Amino acid sequence: MELREAIKGRRSIRKFKTDEILRSLLEGIMEEARWSPSWGNTQPWEFYLITGQPLAELKRLKREKELAGGPPAPDIPMQEKWPEAMKGRYGELGRLVLDTLEIPREDKEARNRYYLGMAGLFDAPCLLVACIPRDLRVEYAMLDIGLAVQTICLLAYDRGLGSCIMAASVLYPDLLRSIAAIPEDRRVVVGVALGYPDESYPLNHFERPRAKMEDFTNWVD
Ligand SMILES: Cc1cc2nc3c(=O)[nH]c(=O)nc-3n(C[C@H](O)[C@H](O)[C@H](O)COP(=O)(O)O)c2cc1C
């Protein structure tokens, strides 16, 4: 696939078919993802690919925890307050999601159903979890993980798979630790839901807004 087509065509998929992904296909993606750049070629990442029964169990426990209102305790703290421009874009995404799904703002039940779907990883048959050693400074390690994760999403797209990078998938790292035997000395950074896109789901097709090039590019010449 042409690179530019992959960069533009990849988008967050928020409903997957339940079809399993062949192990050999996932191996091909991870094999090629090795070529992602990292600080000093340190390659600080470690990935766990959870599928099958362990994933079903993870989804069950995660839903249970969210329904019970269990307070999230992610290994990477979440942004609490956003600068105005970003707050605006975040809000716009929320509105687009509700509009596309035809959920009225005041329909709390329908919104909760959507969030429960997110807790169930949008039915993805695979969750890839990215980890780093706990004793690393997070700043550059996060950059390294980001580079690898985008590479993985593009490689997945090239193979006909959809992906959704999901902070929501790592709200309860202890659940992941127990299901995937992730050692205590690893920090769970982010998860990526992987699977075949359900093309009939409107949220997999809405038009995504982006800032204009001039809004974030400064020329110094
Ligand atoms: C670090 C990170 C965390 C994200 N977490 C979530 C999430 O928990 N749930 C979700 O639906 N999308 C999540 N996303 C997807 C973003 O909403 C998405 O990338 C953004 O809206 C741009 O849309 P696109 O990926 O379709 O181009 C996350 C993306 C990133 C990079």
Side-chain angles (χ1 to χ4, degrees):
M1 181 182 290
E2 214 254 315
L3 177 65
R4 272 178 284 177
E5 188 193 333
I7 289 171
K8 277 196 165 171
R10 181 223 55 86
R11 58 174 299 141
S12 294
I13 292 302
R14 294 190 174 91
K15 191 161 179 41
F16 296 91
K17 296 183 190 160
T18 49
D19 305 21
E20 294 297 326
I21 311 168
L22 281 180
R23 170 73 174 259
S24 56
L25 199 138
L26 291 169
E27 280 173 355
I29 292 172
M30 300 317 288
E31 182 70 33
E32 289 172 8
R34 292 185 304 142
W35 298 102
S36 305
S38 59
W39 177 291
N41 201 25
T42 46
Q43 305 163 67
W45 45 70
E46 197 169 84
F47 296 104
Y48 293 78
L49 286 101
I50 312 174
T51 59
Q53 193 48 42
L55 183 65
E57 183 63 0
L58 174 70
K59 289 178 186 172
R60 189 183 69 76
L61 292 172
K62 189 166 150 48
R63 275 207 178 105
E64 219 173 75
K65 200 142 186 151
E66 291 197 16
L67 278 172
D75 284 353
I76 306 295
M78 290 206 183
Q79 186 76 28
E80 278 156 16
K81 261 188 104 186
W82 293 94
E84 275 314 307
M86 284 157 232
K87 192 172 154 192
R89 291 180 196 135
Y90 201 177
E92 188 182 13
L93 175 65
R95 278 190 297 278
L96 273 168
V97 168
L98 294 185
D99 288 353
T100 307
L101 294 176
E102 297 179 9
I103 298 176
R105 276 203 84 70
E106 61 282 3
D107 191 344
K108 209 167 164 217
E109 215 170 281
R111 277 193 353 238
N112 284 344
R113 264 200 309 279
Y114 174 71
Y115 287 116
L116 217 54
M118 193 180 310
L121 308 172
F122 304 126
D123 291 339
C126 178
L127 178 70
L128 172 144
V129 180
C131 299
I132 52 170
R134 198 175 279 283
D135 54 3
L136 273 192
R137 274 194 73 119
V138 290
E139 291 88 341
Y140 277 99
M142 295 296 284
L143 185 55
D144 295 341
I145 287 287
L147 292 163
V149 162
Q150 163 79 335
T151 304
I152 288 167
C153 290
L154 292 176
L155 289 168
Y157 183 74
D158 184 48
R159 287 161 169 81
L161 286 175
S163 60
C164 189
I165 304 169
M166 294 184 74
S169 67
V170 294
L171 296 178
Y172 306 105
D174 286 347
L175 275 186
L176 290 158
R177 270 186 244 290
S178 71
I179 298 261
I182 301 173
E184 277 298 328
D185 63 358
R186 304 291 196 279
R187 226 187 271 271
V188 173
V189 176
V190 77
V192 184
L194 289 167
Y196 293 97
D198 179 341
E199 298 295 354
S200 68
Y201 191 58
L203 209 49
N204 290 342
H205 297 286
F206 72 94
E207 202 172 317
R208 299 162 298 160
R210 287 293 199 266
K212 289 200 209 70
M213 187 265 275
E214 299 78 31
D215 295 338
F216 59 86
T217 310
N218 300 287
W219 304 99
V220 184
D221 45 21

